[in-house]
Amino acid sequence: LRDDGRVRFVGDFYAQWEWGVTELDKVGTAFLKQLLRDKVLAGWTELSCHPGYRSAGYDAMYDSEREVELRTLTDAEVRRTVDELGIELVSFRGFPSTTGWP
């Protein structure tokens, strides 16, 4: 769905736009709230994100940023913004079956 025009892809919620350079403000609450206001329009939007927890023995270029993403995505301010904008959070399981999805 990402490239066929039925779902808008938003990949701006990412902390390393330059290789190996982390900018945590790009995955912070203020940034995400503005992103939701500016990029989530009527219809379906996929917000790309990489939330998670650090694991012992796992070392990746994009690792500690995942916990910041998780905190931001679960922040009460973000939820209020989602509600104020009338955004409905759903999975692709809810995508209309007429498009070929189960």
Side-chain angles (χ1 to χ4, degrees), residues 2-90:
R2 184 173 285 175
D3 295 322
D4 73 2
R6 293 180 285 170
V7 175
R8 182 177 305 99
F9 174 74
V10 176
D12 301 353
F13 186 69
Y14 191 62
Q16 286 190 13
W17 286 95
E18 183 180 338
W19 181 257
V21 178
T22 296
E23 296 180 66
L24 292 179
D25 61 314
K26 300 292 188 198
V27 291
T29 300
F31 186 83
L32 179 55
K33 288 170 46 177
Q34 192 62 51
L35 192 68
L36 294 171
R37 287 186 187 98
D38 294 345
K39 301 274 182 131
V40 177
L41 309 174
W44 283 76
T45 301
E46 174 190 1
L47 174 66
S48 178
C49 53
H50 310 85
Y53 296 105
R54 293 184 72 148
S55 300
Y58 179 75
D59 185 32
M61 175 70 81
Y62 199 83
D63 192 15
S64 61
E65 296 86 352
R66 295 177 186 277
E67 288 189 5
V68 177
E69 286 193 20
L70 183 61
R71 281 193 304 275
T72 299
L73 290 164
T74 57
D75 186 278
E77 280 186 53
V78 171
R79 183 60 205 210
R80 279 191 293 278
T81 300
V82 166
D83 292 341
E84 288 168 6
L85 294 172
I87 296 171
E88 182 181 359
L89 303 176
V90 296

